[in-house]
Amino acid sequence: MYVSREKIFYLYKKPHMLSAIIIDDIEDARKTLKKDLARWCPEVTVICEAGGVIDGVKLLQKIQPDVVFLDIQMQDGSGFDLLDILKDISYRIIFTTASDAHAIRAFRFSAVDYLLKPIDPDELKQAVQKLSEKISGSEKSLDLLKKNIEGKDKKQEKLALHSLDKIHVVNIADILRCESSINYTEFHFAGGKKMLVTRTLKDFDDLLSGHGFYRVHNSHLINTKYIKEFVKTEGGYLVMNDGTSIPVSSRKRPEVIKMLEKL
């Protein structure tokens, strides 16, 4: 938990650098991540490490880094225990976790950054690049992540969405449709609300396919419960409850007809 004067001086001399703390109860994991950061993300300087929740809390009460690489399960508690103790945090959290299908799905629904062990260099670089983004509402997304992980046998009911300036936690059931907008996705909600989200439509196709959503076109993902009718003329298109017409691709048309017969 010692922070050298040289490292602190180095950070002050290099304002573009990012300071980092690694909290993981496995020493080899800390060493590997530190080496990976030095090799692939030279803009990140690891100023200190902690081997558990207690040491991590003590460290973060004294030092405020730009980012904390936080393990989920440790011998003396979880990463959530650490965050519960600290309450208000001003730094970014990137969770590191072992392979667990439920946990990974929970992370994706909660829009929280995570790295899957063993950590892939490209994913590490991508996560670090995202640190420069100004994101508010992190407490909401962390709370949603905790609920999603704890509710292992429950179907996710909420989704955290990154807009350009906030994280919005929304009810999945209120999403009427999603439309691709290059590298963004425009969400349309029952009631008329719209939201531009900084993730691709494919990301949400993967997440929402088990929640009654269906990708009827390369640019359109719809919530099947809001379908009003399917018009077979003009190549085929869906009319939603809000009156909007959604084109159905010729490739998807047979699948859409079968899907509608099952509703």
Side-chain angles (χ1 to χ4, degrees), residues 22 24-34 49-51:
I22 299 173
D24 196 313
D25 62 339
I26 300 175
E27 185 177 0
D28 286 345
R30 298 198 304 272
K31 287 181 179 179
T32 298
L33 178 53
K34 191 173 180 179
E49 308 166 21

Side-chain angles (χ1 to χ4, degrees), residues 78-206:
S78 72
F80 298 119
D81 294 330
L82 179 145
L83 296 175
D84 285 340
I85 294 170
L86 292 169
K87 301 296 183 186
D88 296 328
I89 59 173
S90 59
Y91 36 82
R92 295 281 281 131
I93 302 290
I94 295 179
F95 287 100
T96 57
T97 181
S99 179
D100 181 297
H102 169 74
I104 300 308
R105 193 165 180 80
F107 276 110
R108 296 183 68 204
F109 269 94
S110 308
V112 173
D113 288 333
Y114 71 94
L115 293 169
L116 182 62
K117 298 177 182 178
I119 295 170
D120 179 87
D122 289 334
E123 292 180 0
L124 177 61
K125 287 187 282 187
Q126 187 178 28
V128 169
Q129 287 173 359
K130 288 167 66 177
L131 291 176
S132 60
E133 298 175 4
K134 184 180 179 181
I135 299 174
S136 62
S138 59
E139 289 183 5
K140 288 184 178 180
S141 56
L142 286 169
D143 184 56
L144 179 57
L145 172 62
K146 186 176 180 181
K147 289 179 180 176
N148 284 343
I149 285 183
E150 289 174 347
K152 192 163 188 175
D153 299 323
K154 295 181 179 179
K155 195 173 185 179
Q156 276 90 354
E157 296 178 352
K158 294 181 181 291
L159 177 66
L161 300 173
H162 284 258
S163 66
L164 292 173
D165 59 347
K166 293 180 180 179
I167 294 177
H168 308 262
V169 177
V170 303
N171 292 317
I172 293 173
D174 294 337
I175 302 169
L176 190 145
R177 62 186 181 90
C178 309
E179 184 173 350
S180 177
S181 180
I182 309 178
N183 291 324
Y184 294 83
T185 301
E186 186 173 66
F187 273 69
H188 295 255
F189 296 88
K193 181 181 176 182
K194 298 180 183 180
M195 186 187 302
L196 190 65
V197 178
T198 56
R199 287 173 69 179
T200 66
L201 186 63
K202 183 184 184 304
D203 290 331
F204 296 110
D205 185 13
D206 294 339

Side-chain angles (χ1 to χ4, degrees), residues 7-19:
K7 280 189 175 179
I8 293 175
F9 176 75
Y10 181 67
L11 288 169
Y12 279 114
K13 291 290 286 182
K14 304 276 187 178
H16 61 284
M17 297 296 291
L18 295 168
S19 59

Side-chain angles (χ1 to χ4, degrees), residues 229-239 245 248 253 260:
E229 59 187 14
F230 176 59
V231 180
K232 296 181 179 180
T233 58
E234 299 179 23
Y237 61 91
L238 291 166
V239 178
S245 298
V248 176
R253 179 171 171 150
L260 290 172

